[in-house]
Amino acid sequence: MKVNDLWFSYENKPVFKGLNLEIGEGITCLMGESGIGKTTLLKLIAGLLEPQKGSVDSKPEKISFMFQEDRLLPWLNVRENILLVSERRKEMEQLLEELEIDGSLKISELSGGMARRVALIRCLLFDSKMLLMDEPFKGMDGKLVEKAASIIRRQNKPALISTHSLDEVKALSAKVITL
Amino acid sequence: MTSIRANKHLIRLLSLAFWLLIWQLCALKVGKELILPGPLAVVRAMGALAVQPKFWLNTLTTIIRVITGYCLGVLTAVILAVVTCGSFLADSLISPVIRTIRATPVASFIILALLWMGKSNVPVLMAMLMVVPVVWENITAQYRATDRDLLEMAAAYRLSKWKRFRYIYVPSAFPGFLSGCLSAMGLAWKSGIAAEVLAQPALAIGSNLYYSKLYLETPDLFAWTAVVVSLSMLIEKLIRKLLFRGVGYEGK
């Protein structure tokens, strides 16, 4: 996937002035200081934002996006939130067990880390060819990061993941792009 | 907890007693039941009314009229809200009409409706007309305030239009629907009774209010008013229970 001469600004605040990037197969971590534009880049690649100039070429048609916020529907329970985007019940149950989440819980009953894991499962089960993840391990402790990272690795999908932590990069065995 | 609750009940009872006392003192000062009957006179009048079968028939007929108008109003408001939220053209066409209805005095509608339809249907139409703008406005305001983040999530996961409607827009607009339904109940009562006073259908609380005024039976006027207020409060409580518990709504 190639990012070609990408220009983007929020009203009067420019974020990218002709950004060029090449993202290969496997898992790539996107690093850089806060506010540099990691989330914006992920959204531009996902097509959730329109660039003012430039393009993202050779990207898969269906992309799974894990937002920086969990964005779970509070009026549905854990299972219902996941099944909203995917029909893969068996894999869902397996992942819920693996990540130690009770699928019948209401969203208001989840801790920050638990909600993050639910958002992760939803992202992984969405039928897509690529994963874009914005700080997917936020609120998880070391052991859970290892577990979640191994689940991401075994998807065998190209993934672009924004993070601030080198430990997470290591857990994912990922390449790094610094913005 | 129990003592706090008991204290609250006691304070409420004392407040009620305070206002009844003020009312009684004012009635004693005025000294004429024709101008201001005291609470005891009103209770006596209510007792006298309650033993007449016609009182119950009048009350029941009014309840049926107001509830029919209310339900029709809520149903119409929901349909209009779905249409106006889904299409800019429909919104541009329908919104000004609803806003005009809201701004028009209920008396104008009553007089006009009396020219168009039978006396007993006017209160139903008035209750409905007053309910529609309130419920519609509440639903559409909540719809417009739907969480942008959730809509972005829906776009990212390519949720169908139906799923967005069913799982995002409807639950987002639901609190507006609930509060609209509750505020509209009081309006339905007021407009329904006002229409009965002006239209004077055969069996109606409003007609009896009018006759009480006509024959200077002020205690009866107060008694009928007390019936309306009690019914309005009772039905509002019932609707609150029905909507909040019956639907199993637990909030966002």
Side-chain angles (χ1 to χ4, degrees), chain A residues 3 74 143:
Chain A
V3 173
K143 210 172 135 192

Side-chain angles (χ1 to χ4, degrees), chain B residues 207-219:
Chain B
S207 306
N208 282 286
L209 276 170
Y210 178 78
Y211 300 138
S212 307
K213 176 235 158 201
L214 199 65
Y215 302 123
L216 300 175
E217 289 162 346
T218 319

Side-chain angles (χ1 to χ4, degrees), chain A residues 79 82-83 88-99 101 103 121 125:
Chain A
R79 272 197 192 89
I82 299 168
L83 291 173
R88 295 149 70 183
R89 280 174 184 270
K90 213 173 150 189
E91 286 161 88
M92 173 186 74
E93 293 302 336
Q94 197 184 324
L95 286 172
L96 283 172
E97 202 184 318
E98 220 171 322
L99 289 170
I101 305 279
I121 298 173
L125 291 182

